Amino acid sequence: MFVWTAARLDSSRMNILITGGAGFIGSNFVHYVLKRRQQDKIVNVDMLTYAGNLENLEDVRSHPNYVFEKADICDRDAIERILEKHNAEAIINFAAESHVDRSILGAAEFIRTNVSGTQVLLELANQRKMKRFLQVSTDEVYGSLGDTGLFTEETPLHPNSPYSASKAGADMLALAYHHTFSLPVVITRCSNNYGPYQFPEKLIPLLIANALNDKPLPVYGDGKNVRDWLHVEDHCAAIDSVFHDGKIGEIYNVGGSNEWMNIDIVKLVLELLNKPESLITFVQDRLGHDRRYAIDSSKIRRELNWKPGYTFEHGIRETVQWYIKNRTWWENIITGEYQEYYKRMYEGREKIAG
Ligand code: NAD
Ligand code: TYD
């Protein structure tokens, strides 16, 4: 069988369809590419779920190299029409249901978008003999680590939440399309991101928003779960690099070698905002809560010369400042459906002392 191994994507101008571009990482990626790659055209397909927000892209709305199309990635006909209309040559798939806690409340939408939606995109990419398909994945597909060790690209998949199981399913499908049809697939698996435009259901923006409103900061379990935090712009740089220079059929781990216990992040945010530690509230643990994630990203560093540009010290300060400056952005979010979600997720969950 003929297998693609060419590395560099040799094209002077490309029409790239990105999905989920109105979300946190997708919107940062749109900004990243429009700033740096003047020759590429970006078609952003997003169905605007609760997590999709066109305000994130207000400043590029009329950029000549950018166009938005509202559509569901599971809607094969709609996606096919959009690919045809814009003569799309490659896909970068960010679109997903992305929050672990919501996947515990209900997994169906995660399977629909993350698995079936990805399959629709793969099928159309294959049909059109596209030049690249980049699947944006997560370190959570590897499961949970003990006190030591790192996830490498060879670590067996062991997803523990409905969210990570659906992402692992999508990765397997993408690799299967590469193996079976020689579709030029690449996959990135990144650790936890932070930065501007992150929906305030995720830990860091939730902490900042609650602290600014003098509301309790909910910490799951004993607060000693560990995550490896990376600034979203560094993730965007990694995706851009794997998209253009990654070896076809390969997986690249992306991480900041920046492990933090949740409780220490909570204390840091309070310190940066000059708020009291009395706001910390321990709550019942997340079901099946993964203890520790930590990424070995030596492959992308070695092969593609990628490394994070942000130190955490700088990135977290800048992020806190962004949420202070852009208060209306997140206040608009937390007044809507979010209220219902927050009640359902957090009400009555405080741990009884003793
Ligand atoms: P997000 O929830 O902020 O954004 C997801 C976007 O996808 C939203 O704009 C939403 O409207 C859109 N979307 C959802 N279902 C859709 C559908 N059926 N059709 C079209 N659009 C749809 O998510 P995020 O944090 O930006 O994550 C983006 C990607 O990166 C996801 O695939 C996620 O698994 C992955 N990832 C996230 C992190 C992280 O820390 N946030 C880390 C590693 C990987
Ligand atoms: P989250 O941002 O949901 O990312 P993920 O679960 O994908 O890693 O959560 C990061 C960590 O913070 C995770 O260990 C769960 C914990 N957490 C809390 O302690 N309290 C909260 O309110 C949230 C949302 C998360």
Side-chain angles (χ1 to χ4, degrees):
M1 187 187 61
F2 171 74
V3 176
W4 269 89
T5 49
R8 205 142 215 296
L9 192 51
D10 191 18
S11 181
S12 48
R13 186 188 157 80
M14 238 204 311
N15 299 329
I16 306 166
L17 183 118
I18 78 156
T19 67
F24 165 47
I25 304 174
S27 61
N28 276 285
F29 187 76
V30 171
H31 286 119
Y32 183 93
V33 173
L34 291 178
K35 246 186 252 158
R36 288 169 184 80
R37 294 198 181 267
Q38 272 90 20
Q39 75 282 17
D40 291 337
K41 177 175 164 189
I42 300 290
V43 182
N44 173 19
V45 171
D46 195 300
M47 79 179 251
L48 302 179
T49 66
Y50 78 93
N53 186 350
L54 286 180
E55 267 184 55
N56 303 2
L57 295 161
E58 192 48 39
D59 55 334
V60 296
R61 198 159 54 99
S62 21
H63 194 290
N65 290 346
Y66 171 77
V67 58
F68 174 70
E69 296 275 5
K70 184 168 187 240
D72 179 350
I73 59 166
C74 301
D75 182 345
R76 192 186 188 287
D77 294 345
I79 302 297
E80 190 169 20
R81 269 196 306 277
I82 293 167
L83 293 172
E84 188 66 43
K85 178 173 158 195
H86 298 285
N87 190 24
E89 301 162 272
I91 293 180
I92 304 181
N93 184 27
F94 292 91
E97 287 296 330
S98 67
H99 192 36
V100 173
D101 289 325
R102 288 191 193 245
S103 80
I104 295 168
L105 292 175
E109 201 52 31
F110 287 73
I111 306 307
R112 199 188 77 87
T113 288
N114 301 4
V115 183
S116 304
T118 301
Q119 188 272 327
V120 166
L121 298 174
L122 286 163
E123 189 182 312
L124 290 170
N126 187 42
Q127 190 181 294
R128 297 178 64 83
K129 297 286 162 244
M130 284 195 163
K131 294 179 183 162
R132 269 296 192 276
F133 187 102
L134 188 148
Q135 175 63 10
V136 181
S137 186
T138 164
D139 61 353
E140 301 192 24
V141 298
Y142 296 120
S144 183
L145 291 164
D147 289 343
T148 57
L150 301 172
F151 298 132
T152 73
E153 288 83 357
E154 275 74 48
T155 302
L157 300 195
H158 198 295
N160 289 318
S161 71
Y163 162 68
S164 54
S166 68
K167 293 295 291 183
D171 284 15
M172 296 290 91
L173 278 170
L175 292 173
Y177 269 75
H178 168 63
H179 183 84
T180 310
F181 305 111
S182 301
L183 183 67
V185 165
V186 277
I187 296 179
T188 54
R189 290 186 180 146
C190 189
S191 60
N192 288 61
N193 285 208
Y194 70 96
Y197 301 112
Q198 186 165 30
F199 195 88
E201 66 189 352
K202 304 278 168 50
L203 181 69
I204 289 182
L206 184 141
L207 295 174
I208 300 171
N210 282 19
L212 286 171
N213 281 334
D214 299 305
K215 283 181 57 182
L217 272 46
V219 179
Y220 298 168
D222 62 4
K224 292 185 181 160
N225 299 67
V226 172
R227 297 293 183 263
D228 175 355
W229 294 95
L230 183 74
H231 193 277
V232 63
E233 195 170 305
D234 287 325
H235 186 190
C236 292
I239 290 170
D240 184 61
S241 175
V242 171
F243 179 73
H244 286 276
D245 296 327
K247 275 202 208 111
I248 287 165
E250 301 246 337
I251 295 160
Y252 293 86
N253 281 354
V254 184
S257 302
N258 177 43
E259 291 180 51
W260 284 76
M261 272 190 201
N262 292 339
I263 188 67
D264 293 332
I265 294 274
V266 177
K267 289 181 179 166
L268 177 64
V269 167
L270 287 171
E271 189 190 315
L272 292 173
L273 289 170
N274 204 18
K275 296 285 182 177
E277 289 196 2
S278 56
L279 287 175
I280 297 174
T281 310
F282 286 93
V283 303
Q284 276 163 33
D285 209 352
R286 172 187 280 172
L287 293 177
H289 196 176
D290 284 339
R291 193 61 172 171
R292 175 171 167 262
Y293 301 147
I295 273 266
D296 176 344
S297 56
S298 52
K299 178 175 173 182
I300 188 172
R301 290 174 194 246
R302 190 179 58 247
E303 294 186 9
L304 302 182
N305 217 12
W306 171 89
K307 64 176 186 319
Y310 271 88
T311 61
F312 189 61
E313 198 192 12
H314 176 63
I316 191 72
R317 278 170 201 276
E318 198 181 271
T319 301
V320 166
Q321 286 310 313
W322 188 89
Y323 282 87
I324 292 173
K325 261 205 225 120
N326 293 277
R327 197 171 179 129
T328 353
W329 178 86
W330 57 265
E331 273 187 340
N332 283 343
I333 293 171
I334 65 173
T335 49
E337 179 266 358
Y338 187 80
Q339 289 287 331
E340 284 307 305
Y341 164 76
Y342 200 90
K343 256 198 233 151
R344 203 169 156 207
M345 182 55 64
Y346 294 97
E347 216 163 70
R349 196 169 160 179
E350 293 84 3
K351 270 194 191 155
I352 312 296

